């Protein structure tokens, strides 16, 4: 199949490109290198030393014999996008091409506007290009579990059967996203749903949990194929960040009580899920949502897991509770459904101490590259609160007698 | 009070400015004249001959003795918006400053992007200005009943109590908007709700029905104070459009069966509702939604009402069913709640033949200004469908034996 990957230079995009290329598909990637530029601006970088996209593609050709085509440009550029779609004629588009960070979206007004412009208008632009050039194409869009927030009812996969005053309907699941970034994904979902309802497009919205892990089958074969690995305040997700902290002897940065529960999955499972979505496409006119995570953990549980796994390989790790820079419930009900991908055959890689130890080992190889300055949270959900030095926070549990 | 009106040169914005000015408030308006520019581009115009904003303000000063300050610029311009808010220090902002047309948003990719950029990014920008400069200010935002779509359950005011698998929560009402424009209002709602939850702002989201009518108490006192009145494909809402068609002898353009049911209200009631929201502000941190309409009608019922009222004043009116350019249910359940504004004291001006006859009378004064070319729908919700000449459509009822 002809598969186009938007954001194909990113943490998930590049491994996805290699995976589908290794399966014999015809692959093209689009990227405008915004993630690399954001890092440049922050004086931060990926833990893993990643190559330029052109070098990655050369290395992949050398090792696999397969070509990955590249297009450098933005999803917000209508003319560019039309040209790519006309040239590639994709049967599937996997869309990772968005600003993916909640704290980044909250750091300033400029970043907030940039996030919603890039994500919402970029995807709206893409929907028009698909409609006009490849209306049968299956759009696989990366959404997030964070769209749902933490409602006091079970989270279903995209839709909810509602009974109200003696009548009933199946309606979009109500959303209570917790950041400007998460809002942008909610807006995307509404726009894509509309494009399927009105224009007859087909789309799978993958409401993904928090991804962890470094290596995939393809990336581990040669250092030139490594994917990026972020651990900084903005782009480092919680488990990845904890693992880096453990290796360099930095206290694990738990925000608040650590009772925040979320869905998680291994980067290998992201690839498996996207493969399952490609192999089982949505119908024309169908907008479907898969909740893409394999396990639920609280932040405190993850900190504990990393501490235990690190202890076994000789790292003494301290878990520290910092004033929460986010505004979110630290204790809440959380039970999300994730049966649709399992029903299609997903076999999860589960998280355990052994897996964490293997991550710690890989991180150890690059620990001299860690920029410590980039780890502590400086962006506040509510500006003016928690300004200045963070007080030496203690665990609410350690305060209990 | 110091009240800032965004979109203060528009159909509702200008009458709102005069109303609050006449009540002794300190009024400033912002507009970038986009509605006038859109008309210019389409070679269309308001039925009523409206004056330049500066002339309106002069006339108002001359007649009332009161000053209305004006600021010309866009809500998307952060620096401009900050300057206005710092200068005016509004205690209330009434936000009409958006692209308000569903068909306009569907006419092209450019118009779709323009609509979501203007509305979503403009309002997101505004939320940041309020947060940083006037965090106690009450934002009264014009939303639309069209955010809800036509679910098979009763429509509540913004939120819904959901019972699911033995648990319950009050969650945002699920939205199924029917155009790129309606989507932009749904995105606004989510963004504003977030700003109230996270930043502690206060907002009333007025989910307004379709407005009809021309005159308000203030505008009828002098022709220089008239508000705009649109009847064209893009900016003319259904009842206003039907009244113009009746006066000039154009068949009433019912799209499809005409079973589409919506909430309606008189322009005088828009002013009453906004006054009630100002007088009864939301609490800090509160995001509340009022469904702002007074009566429900189907499009076919409105056509019938106009035909009857017009007949009494000597116009013979034909009702014609055109292939529906929109993708929407033409027969559906519709029952929306609207008790919150009534509980605050709203006394509706109800729609009847007399009111329609008065509208026909005013329209008659300006009937030589009607541009007939602008009336028939040319924008299709699904491009490529219904292209070319519209077939001579007949009512499904007239086809029945």
């Amino acid at each position: 199949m002809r598969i186009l990957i938007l954001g194909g230079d990113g943490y998930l995009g590049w491994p996805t490109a290699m995976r589908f290329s290794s399966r014999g598909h015809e692959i093209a990637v689009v990227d405008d290198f915004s993630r690399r530029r954001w890092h440049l601006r922050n004086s931060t970088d990926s833990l893993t030393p990643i190559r330029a996209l052109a070098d990655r593609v050369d290395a992949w050709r050398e090792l696999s014999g397969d070509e990955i085509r590249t297009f450098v440009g933005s999803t917000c550029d209508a003319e560019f996008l039309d040209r790519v779609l006309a040239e590639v004629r994709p049967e599937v588009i996997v869309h990772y091409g968005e600003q993916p960070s909640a704290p980044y979206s909250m750091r300033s007004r400029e970043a907030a506007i940039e996030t919603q412009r890039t994500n919402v208008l970029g995807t709206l632009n893409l929907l028009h290009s698909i409609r006009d050039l490849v209306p049968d194409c299956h759009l696989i869009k990366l959404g997030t579990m964070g769209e749902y927030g933490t409602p006091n009812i079970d989270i279903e996969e995209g839709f909810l059967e509602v009974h109200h005053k003696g009548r009933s309907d199946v309606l979009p699941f109500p959303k209570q996203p917790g950041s400007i970034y998460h809002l942008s994904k909610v807006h995307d979902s509404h726009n894509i749903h509309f494009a399927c309802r009105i224009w007859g497009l087909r789309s799978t919205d993958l409401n993904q949990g928090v991804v962890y892990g470094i290596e995939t089958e393809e990336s581990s074969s040669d250092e030139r194929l490594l994917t990026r690995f972020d651990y900084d305040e903005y782009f480092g997700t919680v488990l990845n960040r904890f693992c880096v902290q453990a290796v360099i002897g930095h206290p694990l940065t738990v925000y608040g009580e650590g009772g925040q529960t979320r869905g998680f999955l291994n980067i290998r499972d992201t690839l498996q899920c996207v493969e399952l979505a490609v192999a089982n496409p949505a119908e024309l006119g169908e907008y479907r949502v898969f909740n893409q995570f394999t396990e639920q953990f609280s932040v405190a549980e993850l900190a504990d897991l990393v501490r235990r796994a690190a202890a076994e390989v000789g790292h003494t790790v301290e878990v520290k509770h910092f004033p929460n820079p986010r505004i979110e419930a630290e204790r809440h009900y959380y039970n999300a459904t994730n049966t649709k991908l399992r029903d299609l055959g997903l076999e999860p890689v589960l998280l355990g101490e052994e897996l964490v130890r293997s991550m710690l080992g890989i991180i150890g190889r690059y620990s001299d590259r860690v920029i410590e300055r980039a780890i502590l949270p400086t962006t506040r959900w509510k500006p003016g609160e928690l300004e200045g030095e963070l007080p030496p926070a203690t665990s609410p549990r350690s305060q209990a007698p």
Side-chain angles (χ1 to χ4, degrees), chain A:
Chain A
M1 293 181 97
R2 294 184 302 278
I3 302 178
L4 178 67
I5 293 156
L6 308 181
D9 186 49
Y11 174 51
L12 302 174
W14 172 242
T16 303
M18 291 190 288
R19 170 62 50 88
F20 283 116
S21 177
S22 76
R23 297 277 196 261
H25 299 292
E26 221 172 283
I27 306 303
V29 305
V30 162
D31 214 293
D32 72 346
F33 304 128
S34 34
R35 179 84 71 105
R36 294 185 191 236
R37 280 186 284 109
W38 289 320
H39 272 292
L40 200 61
R41 215 158 44 184
N42 294 341
S43 299
T44 52
D45 202 357
S46 164
L47 175 83
T48 46
I50 56 170
R51 306 296 162 109
L53 180 58
D55 295 334
R56 293 173 148 184
V57 165
D58 284 347
W60 179 251
R61 188 193 309 106
E62 186 191 313
L63 290 159
S64 73
D66 292 321
E67 191 63 47
I68 292 176
R69 297 174 73 187
T70 61
F71 296 87
V72 176
S74 161
T75 52
C76 289
D77 179 344
E79 218 176 302
F80 165 76
L81 215 51
D82 277 357
R83 188 172 60 78
V84 173
L85 264 61
E87 233 178 282
V88 175
R89 311 292 313 170
E91 292 155 286
V92 177
I93 295 177
V94 185
H95 183 13
Y96 296 105
E98 299 204 337
Q99 194 295 97
S101 158
Y104 182 89
S105 75
M106 298 301 294
R107 68 184 283 181
S108 67
R109 179 203 297 228
E110 291 66 33
I113 299 281
E114 178 187 22
T115 299
Q116 294 211 351
R117 187 180 57 233
T118 303
N119 296 4
V120 182
L121 300 189
T123 298
L124 183 57
N125 205 17
L126 173 66
L127 292 169
H128 281 86
S129 291
I130 294 174
R131 180 195 74 179
D132 295 343
L133 294 164
V134 286
D136 294 341
C137 178
H138 180 204
L139 172 63
I140 297 174
K141 163 69 167 49
L142 271 288
T144 161
M145 286 299 295
E147 294 183 37
Y148 299 112
T150 53
N152 195 38
I153 59 169
D154 283 9
I155 294 171
E156 302 299 331
E157 304 197 58
F159 293 87
L160 180 67
E161 190 177 319
V162 177
H163 300 271
H164 181 56
K165 294 183 179 171
R167 304 183 61 88
S168 69
D169 202 351
V170 175
L171 297 171
F173 198 97
K175 303 291 178 75
Q176 298 177 108
S179 77
I180 298 280
Y181 154 74
H182 290 103
L183 282 158
S184 76
K185 295 284 191 179
V186 171
H187 305 343
D188 280 345
S189 296
H190 281 102
N191 283 346
I192 299 169
H193 186 198
F194 175 82
C196 294
R197 279 190 286 133
I198 304 296
W199 297 334
L201 305 190
R202 61 168 104 205
S203 180
T204 303
D205 200 334
L206 298 173
N207 280 4
Q208 189 167 242
V210 184
V211 185
Y212 61 85
I214 307 182
E215 287 191 336
T216 64
E217 216 176 300
E218 294 78 17
S219 76
S220 57
S221 64
D222 187 297
E223 214 197 18
R224 293 172 297 169
L225 300 180
L226 273 174
T227 192
R228 67 175 315 115
F229 186 86
D230 293 316
Y231 58 89
D232 61 290
E233 175 197 357
Y234 294 118
F235 300 107
T237 48
V238 58
L239 183 58
N240 288 355
R241 205 172 60 223
F242 282 173
C243 288
V244 169
Q245 291 167 349
V247 168
I248 65 168
H250 190 290
L252 305 194
T253 53
V254 172
Y255 299 166
E257 293 191 24
Q260 305 92 325
T261 300
R262 300 289 185 270
F264 288 81
L265 77 165
N266 191 292
I267 187 172
R268 293 171 190 261
D269 287 342
T270 295
L271 301 197
Q272 222 193 123
C273 291
V274 174
E275 281 195 272
L276 287 169
V278 168
N280 302 276
E283 303 290 323
L284 280 174
E286 187 188 4
Y287 169 73
R288 63 182 186 180
V289 179
F290 295 165
N291 288 349
Q292 179 167 313
F293 70 95
T294 57
E295 298 170 276
Q296 291 185 179
F297 297 100
S298 74
V299 170
E301 283 169 348
L302 290 180
D304 212 52
L305 171 67
V306 171
R307 193 187 48 70
R308 288 198 317 268
E312 284 177 40
V313 290
H315 297 293
T316 309
V317 171
E318 192 191 351
V319 176
K320 246 180 153 176
H321 292 257
F322 288 83
N324 196 341
R326 306 187 176 204
I327 305 212
E328 62 186 0
E330 289 173 16
R331 291 170 191 225
H332 57 88
Y333 179 74
Y334 199 80
N335 189 34
T337 306
N338 61 348
T339 54
K340 288 191 185 175
L341 281 160
R342 281 169 192 264
D343 289 347
L344 291 178
L346 173 65
E347 290 175 15
V349 178
L350 296 182
L351 183 60
E353 290 184 33
E354 195 186 324
L355 201 149
V356 172
R357 281 199 305 275
S358 121
M359 281 177 70
L360 297 175
I362 301 169
I363 291 167
R365 284 189 235 152
Y366 305 107
S367 59
D368 59 323
R369 288 175 49 88
V370 174
I371 301 164
E372 273 207 52
R373 172 185 37 74
I375 292 177
L376 283 185
T378 58
T379 288
R380 307 277 169 259
W381 255 232
K382 192 164 182 178
E385 298 214 337
L386 311 175
E387 286 296 3
E389 280 294 295
L390 285 169
T394 44
S395 155
R397 259 171 285 170
S398 70
Q399 291 173 328

